[in-house]
Each structure stands twice: as C-alpha cells, then as structure tokens.
Amino acid sequence: MNDAHPPRHTTASASSTGGRLNWLRAAVLGANDGVVSTAGLVVGVAGATDRRGTLLTAGLAGLLAGSISMAAGEYVSVCTQRDAQRAALELEKRELRAHPEEGRDALEEELERRGLSPSVADAAARELSAKDAWRAHARVELGIDPDELTDPWRAAAASFCAFTAGALLPLLMIVLLPAGGRLPVTIASVLATLALTGWTGARLGASPVRPSVLRNVLGGALAMGVTYAVGSLLASVV
C-alpha cells in the first residue's frame, strides 16, 4: 500500500513558475531584438564597405546603443508598473482601515465570483481577513503580490544582457570571419538563430511554432536585405 501523498501545488509556486516563464520569454525576445537590429546594422555597413575596423565600430555602437536603450526602456516601464501597483495597494490599505467590514464583503463577493459557494466564500473571507486582510485583498482582488513586486533594476539588467547576448552573434561573425565568406556565413547564422528564438518563444508561450519561426526568419531576412541594399546604394553614390 502506497501512503505517499501527492505533491501539493500552491498559488505561490504557480506564481513563481509563471514569473520565471515571463522572465525567460523576455530574455528570448530581448536576444531576438539584439540579433535582428545588430545584424541589420552590420550587414548594411557591409554593403558599403568590407573594412573590418568600420564594421567593428558600427557594430559596437549599435550594440551599446541598443542594449542601453532596451535597459532604459525596461526600467521606465517596470517603474511605471510598480508605481501603479504601489498606489493601488496603498489605496486598498486605506479603504480597509476605514471600512473593514465592507472590505470583507467585497472579498467574499470576489471569492464567490471565482466559483466558491456562498458559505465557503464567507468562511474563507473571514479567515483570510483575520490573518492578513490587506495581502488577501491585494492577491485576490487586485491580482498583486505585495511581496513580489518586480525590481526595475533587475529587469533593466536582464534586458541589457539579453540584447547584448543576441547582438554579439552577428557582430563577431561579421568581424572575425574572412572578407570573402563573412557576409553569407553571417546571414546564415543569423537566420538559424532567429529560427531558434522563434521556436523557443513559441514553446514558452504555448503557441504554434511554425508561424513564430517564419515571422522571425522572414523579418530578419527582410531587415538584412533592406539595409544591405541601402548600404550598397550609398556606396555607389557617395
């Protein structure tokens, strides 16, 4: 006879898993942006010149500008989100202090709306309110965990690193390879990487793989094709 108990799945563990998946998806998207933008830049410059120093300068400038821009944008976005969450939490705290009974009734209604019977919802609302009414309201009504607000500095650092990791591939390829084969190998490597990030993003998001891969590959190919054509045109005119 097996007396082992099945594993218990808690809301906290589900929330933690969802958070890790969100971070991983953001990292994949950041790396994808780094690949596409830097590949478009260095391939465009390669259409105008094959000088290694020029390609390195352009690629590094694009990498730094892109990674800093991504980090700054992520920092501002997360700060704005966290400020809004803090304001909502503070308002909820004030309302609970002023009207605790109304707050418990609202919590009970929300639990009923989520499928609990009136008697169970009433008991749950009373127990949750007695333990920590503010956190209960924050998690159930607002969908916010006060103990797990996103850190904007961490988000900015993750975005910076993801973009940089993606940007390094086309930059190193275009700079380190011999002049005769650098362009086709760089393009092939970039397209293969975009196929991989498209596949990974689709699997993490539980979405169809083929459309995601095609969008990534075609978008990257279009970006490199356009910038290469513009670089070649400018080289012939200037």
Side-chain angles (χ1 to χ4, degrees):
M1 181 176 179
N2 187 1
D3 294 328
H5 295 286
R8 299 175 60 186
H9 298 281
T10 64
T11 302
S13 64
S15 174
S16 177
T17 300
R20 285 195 296 270
L21 287 176
N22 286 335
W23 278 106
L24 192 52
R25 278 194 290 268
V28 171
L29 291 174
N32 191 79
D33 288 342
V35 171
V36 173
S37 60
T38 306
L41 176 61
V42 296
V43 168
V45 175
T49 180
D50 61 355
R51 294 181 59 186
R52 197 184 303 271
T54 303
L55 293 170
L56 177 60
T57 301
L60 281 176
L63 184 154
L64 289 174
S67 57
I68 292 172
S69 175
M70 288 283 290
E74 189 72 11
Y75 177 83
V76 171
S77 175
V78 172
C79 278
T80 302
Q81 177 186 358
R82 193 174 65 166
D83 289 345
Q85 290 175 333
R86 283 177 169 173
L89 290 170
E90 189 60 34
L91 176 61
E92 189 69 27
K93 184 179 291 185
R94 291 197 300 268
E95 290 179 347
L96 285 172
R97 286 173 180 168
H99 309 286
E101 290 300 320
E102 292 180 9
R104 187 185 60 77
D105 291 341
L107 181 60
E108 180 182 343
E109 291 176 6
E110 179 63 24
L111 291 172
E112 284 187 39
R113 190 184 68 80
R114 296 191 178 195
L116 296 183
S117 65
S119 59
V120 174
D122 176 68
R126 290 180 183 277
E127 186 172 347
L128 289 171
S129 297
K131 184 177 181 181
D132 193 332
W134 176 61
R135 281 181 168 77
H137 280 263
R139 289 167 178 158
V140 176
E141 290 192 59
L142 303 179
I144 301 172
D145 188 340
D147 301 319
E148 293 188 5
L149 297 182
T150 306
D151 181 1
W153 288 108
R154 181 182 175 188
S159 183
F160 181 94
C161 292
F163 186 95
T164 300
L168 282 174
L169 172 71
L171 175 58
L172 293 176
M173 287 289 179
I174 206 77
V175 169
L176 297 180
L177 292 174
R182 66 167 56 127
L183 197 57
V185 174
T186 298
I187 292 173
S189 300
V190 166
L191 295 180
T193 302
L194 291 177
L196 177 61
T197 57
W199 180 87
T200 305
R203 293 302 298 268
L204 290 173
S207 59
V209 170
R210 181 174 295 180
S212 177
V213 171
L214 286 176
R215 282 195 300 267
N216 259 20
V217 172
L218 292 177
L222 178 63
M224 290 185 289
V226 170
T227 56
Y228 181 79
V230 172
S232 299
L233 179 62
L234 289 176
S236 63
V237 172
V238 177

